[in-house]
Amino acid sequence: MPCQKRCGSQWWHGKVKDCGYRITAGREAIIDTLAATHDHLSAEDVYSRIHARFPNVGLTTIYRTLDMLAQAGLVSRFDFGDGKSRYELTQGPKGEHHHHHLVCTECKRVIDYTDFIDDELELLRRTEKGLSQKYNFRIDNHMIQFYGVCKDCLRDQP
Amino acid sequence: MPCQKRCGSQWWHGKVKDCGYRITAGREAIIDTLAATHDHLSAEDVYSRIHARFPNVGLTTIYRTLDMLAQAGLVSRFDFGDGKSRYELTQGPKGEHHHHHLVCTECKRVIDYTDFIDDELELLRRTEKGLSQKYNFRIDNHMIQFYGVCKDCLRDQP
DNA sequence: TCCTTAATGGAAACAGTTTCCAATAATAAC
DNA sequence: GTTATTATTGGAAACTGTTTCCATTAAGGA
């Protein structure tokens, strides 16, 4: 499939090219899809959202591209315990706020929160520094998740 | 398979019985296996370690039991990004120290660390309190992981 | 000791993901 | 703009960790 958007100068093109990857219509569509939502999409989710407009982008490409974007750091992969990987843009075009996750182990709902995030990030930075020195480990990323039962599920089964 | 250990009064029996589960030789073997290591075992790992002594404990039972023990809170399930769930005792017979994980994205090695853990736990407690109030969410658990590249992998490919 | 019911193992099904390969399209070189 | 090179692609098939199914067995209360 030819790249129909003329592959101009989107915010993310630089990063992808810097990593030696090409800009294609499929990749364009996948990033657009992730940028257009706050949901935590699975590969299948991305596929079905793209399929309407681009019927000829295959699921294999979705998997490959999400993987590549995760390598490049543009996309973050999460596991919320429902058996499939979930993806979100690490940082959107406008540099949205970093957030962490609150996962309901009953209904699998995920709440993004940014409360306390500054304290958390501050502590994480200190910890990262200490750990990377002690273990000679280059730390690229972190992940904080809280697990529990959400409001609705608490009501349904007290 | 009959329970050969006379199913006495192991440290974990209470919790399992309280949840309405029975004590069986398979469960005994699985907990023993987890208690005997600091590794992060997959279901298959547990299976192969048990199989020598108990050839008639099936893989299905391993999965079922690990799941049940996770429900009961005796075992914690982790995902380190290699496609399989990994398990460890939430707390051993002697109440070992809580720890967090440092995951190498190259070789998948996992380092348990307890440095800074007190600061982390302190912050987590505060955050948990704030979040559970704000979102009416009952928080049962948390998970912190750092991702990066370990000493050995850094040396191999600088 | 008997009885009820949870737990079990093995085979088969399942689901998410990866691999394979020939065809196609993005970019570099001209 | 044209051509050459090489990464990317879609679809089918393979793969792998996990779950389901069901007839059999054993735990634990009566």
Side-chain angles (χ1 to χ4, degrees):
Chain A
M1 173 176 46
C3 182
Q4 297 166 350
K5 280 197 176 177
R6 291 297 84 238
C7 302
S9 52
Q10 304 273 4
W11 57 277
W12 51 275
H13 284 194
K15 277 194 187 174
V16 169
K17 284 186 176 163
D18 286 353
C19 294
Y21 298 115
R22 296 177 177 176
I23 310 293
T24 70
R27 290 170 184 181
E28 197 109 0
I30 290 168
I31 297 226
D32 284 357
T33 302
L34 290 174
T37 183
H38 283 116
D39 291 353
H40 313 91
L41 304 182
S42 66
E44 192 83 42
D45 291 337
V46 174
Y47 177 71
S48 59
R49 291 191 188 202
I50 284 186
H51 200 256
R53 286 188 304 133
F54 300 91
N56 43 355
V57 171
L59 187 53
T60 307
T61 296
I62 309 280
Y63 275 108
R64 264 188 305 230
T65 303
L66 288 171
D67 212 55
M68 177 226 109
L69 293 171
Q71 293 273 341
L74 275 161
V75 156
S76 302
R77 187 201 313 260
F78 293 94
D79 167 63
F80 297 135
D82 67 345
K84 38 191 122 176
S85 291
R86 308 231 155 225
Y87 303 85
E88 54 180 84
L89 244 35
T90 302
Q91 198 174 27
K94 293 161 205 145
E96 289 82 354
H97 267 321
H98 190 80
H99 62 265
H100 291 153
H101 296 122
L102 207 50
V103 183
C104 176
T105 48
E106 298 292 332
C107 66
K108 313 295 181 194
R109 191 154 69 101
V110 176
I111 297 174
D112 295 358
Y113 72 89
T114 52
D115 322 83
F116 320 102
I117 205 87
D118 291 337
D119 279 356
E120 285 185 26
L121 291 179
E122 159 64 16
L123 175 71
L124 288 177
R125 255 187 296 275
R126 281 210 312 275
T127 310
E128 276 183 28
K129 195 171 167 192
L131 288 177
S132 61
Q133 282 176 2
K134 169 159 183 182
Y135 294 104
N136 270 304
F137 203 103
R138 188 189 77 213
I139 294 181
D140 299 322
N141 215 339
H142 66 254
M143 144 150 170
I144 293 193
Q145 284 174 196
F146 288 97
Y147 299 93
V149 183
C150 76
K151 186 174 55 170
D152 296 344
C153 291
L154 278 177
R155 177 166 27 71
D156 294 349
Q157 31 170 311
Chain B
M1 174 178 44
C3 182
Q4 297 164 349
K5 278 195 176 177
R6 292 297 85 237
C7 302
S9 51
Q10 303 273 3
W11 57 278
W12 51 275
H13 285 194
K15 277 194 187 174
V16 169
K17 283 186 179 165
D18 287 353
C19 293
Y21 299 115
R22 296 178 178 175
I23 310 292
T24 70
R27 291 172 182 177
E28 195 111 359
I30 291 169
I31 297 223
D32 284 356
T33 302
L34 289 174
T37 183
H38 283 116
D39 291 355
H40 313 91
L41 304 182
S42 66
E44 192 83 42
D45 291 339
V46 174
Y47 177 69
S48 60
R49 292 190 188 201
I50 283 187
H51 200 256
R53 285 189 303 133
F54 300 90
N56 43 355
V57 170
L59 188 52
T60 307
T61 296
I62 309 281
Y63 275 108
R64 265 189 303 231
T65 303
L66 288 171
D67 212 56
M68 176 227 111
L69 293 171
Q71 293 272 342
L74 275 162
V75 156
S76 301
R77 186 200 315 260
F78 294 94
D79 168 64
F80 298 134
D82 67 345
K84 38 191 121 175
S85 292
R86 308 229 155 228
Y87 303 85
E88 54 181 86
L89 244 36
T90 303
Q91 201 174 25
K94 293 162 203 143
E96 288 81 356
H97 266 321
H98 190 80
H99 62 266
H100 291 152
H101 296 122
L102 207 50
V103 183
C104 176
T105 48
E106 299 290 333
C107 67
K108 313 296 180 194
R109 191 154 67 102
V110 177
I111 298 175
D112 296 357
Y113 72 89
T114 51
D115 321 85
F116 318 103
I117 205 86
D118 291 337
D119 280 355
E120 285 184 27
L121 291 180
E122 159 64 16
L123 175 71
L124 288 177
R125 255 188 295 274
R126 281 210 311 275
T127 309
E128 275 183 27
K129 195 171 165 191
L131 288 177
S132 61
Q133 282 176 2
K134 169 160 183 183
Y135 295 103
N136 270 305
F137 203 103
R138 188 191 77 213
I139 294 181
D140 299 322
N141 215 338
H142 65 257
M143 147 149 169
I144 293 192
Q145 283 173 195
F146 288 97
Y147 298 94
V149 183
C150 76
K151 186 173 56 170
D152 297 343
C153 292
L154 278 177
R155 176 167 28 71
D156 294 348
Q157 32 170 310

